[in-house]
Amino acid sequence: MPHRSMQSVLRLCLLMAAVRLRGLHSRASLMRLGVCYYPEHWDPALWPRDAARMAELGLSIVRIGEFSWSRIEPARGAYDWEWLDLAIETLAGAGLDIMLGTPTATPPKWMIDAHPDMLAWDKEGRPRRFGSRRHYCFSSEAYREECSRIVMQMASRYGAHPSVTSWQTDNEYGCHDTVRSYSPAALAAFRLWLRKRYGEIAALNDAWGTVFWSQVYSSFEEVDLPNLTVTEPNPAHVLDFYRFSSDQVISFNRMQTDILRKHAPSCDVYHNFMGFFTDFDHFQLSNDIDVAGWDSYPLGFLDVGPYALDDKQRYMRQGHPDFAAFHHDLYRACGRGRFAVLEQQPGPVNWAHHNPAPLNGMVRLWTHEAAAHGAELTSYFRWRQAPFAQEQWHAGLLRSDDAPAAAYEEVEKAHKELKSLENEGPTKKTATHADIAMVFSYETQWMSEIQPQGARWNYLGLFYEWYAAARRFGCNIDILAPGAALQKYSVVLTPSLFHISDSAMRAYGETDAALVFGPRCGSKTEAMQTPSNLAPGPLQSLLPVRVMHSESFPEAHKESGRYSGEAVYGRIWLDRLETELAPIATTDDGAGLLFRQERRWLFAAWPDSAFLTRVLGDVFSEAGLDAAILPEGVRKRSNGDCVWTLNYNAAPAALSDMEKDLGGKVLLGNAEQLAPAGLLVRKKQ
Ligand code: GAL
């Protein structure tokens, strides 16, 4: 078969060339650039040119496959690999690495028809339908079997391919409200989960306090899912259902990673998390992957996110200055130092209420922000805009007529700049260093949603406000799970933490950092009951305070008080404390807003942003941090020897004298003034 063997030789040569190129790409790379590509959307005749243009643009990795199940397996057991083989060969031949997605977010129609009970049910008890994506229930055993089959097929075919260097599991677990399913499959799995957790039904009755309203159960088989109740269901029941649902996502993912580890042992495994999404515990899921990916859509999230109208207007084309940074810091911790942007907005999206285009320069700036935070990769979504189906209005790097879209040039520029920084500054192996840690808890978010006790209480919102206030000082921040080691930090911020576990208490006890706590800390036990010694529960061993009662307030109300001679305000929430400590900020009627004992601080109220900034300034300077407030809309981040200063304003920003005094060699930009969406990169002196 001479023809056949010629083909094999050719294939081998292409692959060897690809491997050599890959070595060049990844060596000392500050951050790689990549793109999301859907070869199945395009005529194969376009692929070679696409691949060559990607490489020419400076992209070195291409993410494919995550929605391609119906093309891989058009009918049950009838696999069509030919097109995917060819797509992979073509991309690899241009020197690109491939990240292959398992296609389990989009089960084909024939599968739904074969297993109608694999669909998730919504809270109203209705099965969700085929016709978009993510139409499956994490608890469906039949679906898990189908998934393990397709992942096994793909992994055994491509797991050892030299150009398939990484895998992504599924796509955006939980997107479109899909973590919590109220299906019969979920009910059966929930009962098993409860049995495992409690052993005896009496233990569940105790933990949930079912004596209240006569909810006592005599067996696990009697327990239903917490939907369609007449009024609010038992909060501990809901919390356990949320924990169970999170665990189902984690075990579904692990089913896939176990297969990938076996068949693709040398590949990194990723998943792409979302922005502002908390329905499962990302710290826990990340234990099974190598790199925590996330999808960054700063403009979409500004529009649909919990931002003030002023910010929505001011940053309409830039996105909020802390949006990407917050997720970089959170997901870097999830990935134990390794994270990536797997989808980067390149232009208008199709899914927000309003979809403006990024200001000129923003795609470049977002790319630098990721590099400054230590990301390994930024991959733009998507290569070419699709002229059909749901996302026709979503921009790509190319327009649907194949001409470069606005972001194309910015990517080209960012690529060149990152290359130039590699010779001067950090390599991707540089661990970014932070002086400030913030403790983030998925479970506190769940408890907050279940019993907010005030319509304006929003834990994620509170946390983000604290993060944004701290970032105004230009310091690096790590976001950590409760219980993570805190010794290496100078300051640890805990905006709230409802249940403080033994391991979290140990971590607080073992650090010399300044500790700043916010309202409602320690207000619940693990079973979501009030602690027997009242809030802040175990924290009383670090701070001699007890919460006697708490109040929540409507929008217009502010508790005014004084701190260091200045007027300050608390809002939304106020814990009324009993303590021997004299408050250091007091309301006009004598209630404490802020308490302190040595290096431990506690806000009894949700501080407004001026109050919070004032106090953080004092905490940071006492802790010896080099922290000064940056101009509005300007942010700073260092990675290794390089310091980035980034302008999220639509207008030029002058740098303060203090910033100018920092000196250091200017590697990129202008040290006097930042252009709109401009940036300055300096090498530390
Ligand atoms: C993400 C998703 C992509 C695409 C993108 C559009 O949520 O992972 O597949 O839909 O949004 O912005």
Side-chain angles (χ1 to χ4, degrees):
M1 299 196 305
H3 176 65
R4 191 72 190 265
S5 57
M6 263 302 281
Q7 263 192 345
S8 319
V9 172
L10 191 67
R11 181 173 176 231
L12 199 69
C13 292
L14 279 174
L15 287 182
M16 282 167 58
V19 171
R20 264 201 307 278
L21 274 169
R22 189 165 89 228
L24 287 180
H25 284 310
S26 44
R27 207 177 311 136
S29 158
L30 167 54
M31 180 181 74
R32 300 175 72 182
L33 300 182
V35 73
C36 309
Y37 185 51
Y38 301 91
E40 67 275 25
H41 295 179
W42 310 103
D43 185 332
L46 288 175
W47 299 349
R49 182 156 181 270
D50 283 342
R53 283 170 99 186
M54 287 174 194
E56 217 176 87
L57 185 58
L59 310 179
S60 63
I61 179 160
V62 55
R63 172 179 173 265
I64 64 171
E66 78 275 19
F67 300 125
S68 63
W69 199 338
S70 67
R71 290 295 313 276
I72 294 174
E73 194 184 9
R76 189 163 211 290
Y79 298 102
D80 176 2
W81 299 112
E82 223 173 286
W83 71 272
L84 189 52
D85 288 352
L86 181 63
I88 289 176
E89 293 313 305
T90 309
L91 297 163
L96 297 160
D97 281 352
I98 289 142
M99 180 182 296
L100 198 51
T102 67
T104 52
T106 47
K109 180 70 166 78
W110 56 259
M111 190 181 299
I112 310 299
D113 292 342
H115 309 291
D117 53 1
M118 62 169 271
L119 293 170
W121 287 24
D122 72 8
K123 211 172 175 179
E124 306 304 318
R126 297 168 304 199
R128 302 181 81 174
R129 287 202 184 158
F130 181 83
S132 63
R133 61 178 171 182
R134 302 213 51 75
H135 38 278
Y136 69 84
C137 173
F138 284 99
S139 298
S140 162
E141 285 302 328
Y143 189 54
R144 284 184 180 226
E145 274 167 35
E146 296 283 12
C147 290
S148 87
R149 186 176 54 78
I150 194 70
V151 175
M152 177 95 74
Q153 289 285 338
M154 281 181 95
S156 55
R157 190 170 185 89
Y158 300 112
H161 193 293
S163 290
V164 176
T165 53
S166 53
W167 291 75
Q168 176 188 293
T169 53
D170 202 282
N171 188 76
E172 292 191 340
Y173 288 133
C175 188
H176 318 304
D177 193 15
T178 51
V179 167
R180 296 166 192 155
S181 161
Y182 299 83
S183 69
L187 173 60
F190 183 48
R191 287 176 178 163
L192 284 177
W193 185 93
L194 289 172
R195 189 183 288 280
K196 210 162 147 209
R197 181 175 175 88
Y198 292 104
E200 302 289 332
I201 194 69
L204 177 148
N205 282 315
D206 259 10
W208 291 9
T210 51
V211 64
F212 191 78
W213 285 353
S214 206
Q215 301 165 67
V216 179
Y217 296 103
S218 44
S219 83
F220 290 103
E221 290 312 301
E222 287 182 2
V223 181
D224 270 327
L225 296 175
N227 62 327
L228 299 171
T229 50
V230 173
T231 182
E232 71 173 290
N234 182 307
H237 183 176
V238 184
L239 179 62
D240 272 345
F241 177 63
Y242 285 9
R243 286 177 174 142
F244 153 79
S245 302
S246 175
D247 284 357
Q248 292 300 88
V249 179
I250 291 163
S251 67
F252 180 86
N253 182 65
R254 186 175 306 136
M255 172 265 291
Q256 300 205 10
T257 56
D258 283 350
I259 298 169
L260 294 172
R261 300 290 178 208
K262 195 157 155 224
H263 294 279
S266 58
C267 292
D268 281 332
V269 179
Y270 292 64
H271 178 72
N272 57 332
F273 297 134
M274 289 182 285
F276 290 144
F277 188 77
T278 52
D279 287 358
F280 63 89
D281 189 322
H282 294 51
F283 289 118
Q284 276 184 30
L285 185 136
S286 298
N287 290 330
D288 295 316
I289 57 179
D290 298 299
V291 189
W294 79 281
D295 297 344
S296 178
Y297 291 95
L299 303 194
F301 274 93
L302 184 82
D303 190 65
V304 301
Y307 293 104
L309 194 59
D310 277 359
D311 280 347
K312 290 195 189 221
Q313 286 167 347
R314 180 183 180 112
Y315 297 118
M316 184 185 80
R317 293 204 159 89
Q318 302 94 281
H320 191 268
D322 301 307
F323 170 78
F326 167 74
H327 293 93
H328 294 330
D329 287 338
L330 173 63
Y331 294 135
R332 192 179 54 252
C334 288
R336 300 165 302 283
R338 298 192 62 190
F339 82 101
V341 177
L342 293 185
E343 297 181 11
Q344 172 63 63
Q345 173 167 7
V349 298
N350 61 304
W351 46 262
H353 306 301
H354 317 281
N355 298 293
L359 189 70
N360 276 342
M362 279 316 294
V363 174
R364 166 188 176 238
L365 183 142
W366 293 328
T367 306
H368 274 276
E369 184 80 88
H373 280 79
E376 296 187 7
L377 162 72
T378 287
S379 164
Y380 303 92
F381 183 93
R382 53 186 280 153
W383 176 243
R384 187 168 32 240
Q385 186 162 356
F388 47 76
Q390 276 94 330
E391 294 181 349
Q392 296 180 41
W393 285 98
H394 197 296
L397 296 185
L398 299 179
R399 297 190 319 223
S400 54
D401 69 354
D402 219 25
Y408 198 90
E409 258 182 35
E410 293 193 33
V411 172
E412 199 166 25
K413 182 167 181 190
H415 167 68
K416 289 191 183 130
E417 291 173 342
L418 293 174
K419 285 279 142 212
S420 77
L421 292 180
E422 269 163 24
N423 304 325
E424 296 280 355
T427 70
K428 77 172 180 189
K429 287 175 195 69
T430 315
T432 69
H433 166 82
D435 290 315
I436 301 171
M438 292 187 67
V439 176
F440 182 76
S441 156
Y442 285 93
E443 209 162 78
T444 295
Q445 173 64 19
W446 303 340
M447 290 189 189
S448 291
E449 287 168 14
I450 293 166
Q451 258 187 0
Q453 180 62 5
R456 297 177 65 229
W457 176 269
N458 167 359
Y459 167 67
L460 186 59
L462 172 77
F463 193 96
Y464 188 82
E465 268 185 39
W466 281 47
Y467 176 84
R471 199 163 118 88
R472 281 295 300 281
F473 290 89
C475 299
N476 286 2
I477 301 172
D478 281 345
I479 297 180
L480 304 176
L486 301 171
Q487 284 101 327
K488 66 175 183 185
Y489 298 98
S490 304
V491 175
V492 176
L493 308 178
T494 307
S496 192
L497 183 60
F498 279 21
H499 165 238
I500 307 185
S501 63
D502 293 348
S503 64
M505 272 313 293
R506 235 184 344 268
Y508 290 128
E510 284 169 0
T511 179
D512 295 328
L515 302 176
V516 186
F517 296 97
R520 297 180 85 163
C521 278
S523 59
K524 294 290 158 198
T525 64
E526 190 181 354
M528 221 181 145
Q529 300 192 1
T530 306
S532 54
N533 60 349
L534 302 181
L539 210 54
Q540 291 175 45
S541 66
L542 291 182
L543 272 162
V545 300
R546 276 203 326 154
V547 177
M548 306 319 287
H549 67 272
S550 303
E551 296 181 83
S552 63
F553 305 120
E555 175 119 39
H557 183 78
K558 282 183 169 186
E559 286 286 315
S560 58
R562 301 202 79 72
Y563 171 69
S564 293
E566 276 179 30
V568 293
Y569 300 94
R571 54 200 193 102
I572 301 177
W573 190 269
L574 178 63
D575 287 327
R576 301 269 182 173
L577 303 185
E578 180 184 79
T579 174
E580 73 218 25
L581 300 177
I584 56 170
T586 326
T587 65
D588 299 340
D589 72 0
L593 287 175
L594 177 66
F595 295 84
R596 171 177 191 186
Q597 188 180 51
E598 295 156 13
R599 60 186 172 81
R600 297 186 278 263
W601 307 63
L602 174 75
F603 280 99
W606 179 314
D608 79 347
S609 113
F611 182 20
L612 179 62
T613 307
R614 210 34 246 284
V615 175
L616 291 184
D618 290 346
V619 175
F620 294 167
S621 72
E622 276 189 32
L625 300 188
D626 182 14
I629 295 260
L630 292 161
E632 188 83 31
V634 173
R635 296 294 187 270
K636 211 165 93 181
R637 223 291 167 176
S638 68
N639 179 359
D641 283 344
C642 287
V643 186
W644 277 255
T645 310
L646 307 124
N647 183 16
Y648 281 85
N649 295 299
L655 288 173
S656 64
D657 291 342
M658 178 140 175
E659 283 296 306
K660 284 184 212 155
D661 284 351
L662 282 179
K665 180 176 166 197
V666 173
L667 303 178
L668 288 177
N670 170 344
E672 291 292 313
Q673 203 188 45
L674 297 168
L679 52 91
L680 166 69
V681 185
R682 271 178 297 204
K683 188 166 182 161
K684 279 186 198 161
Q685 274 175 327

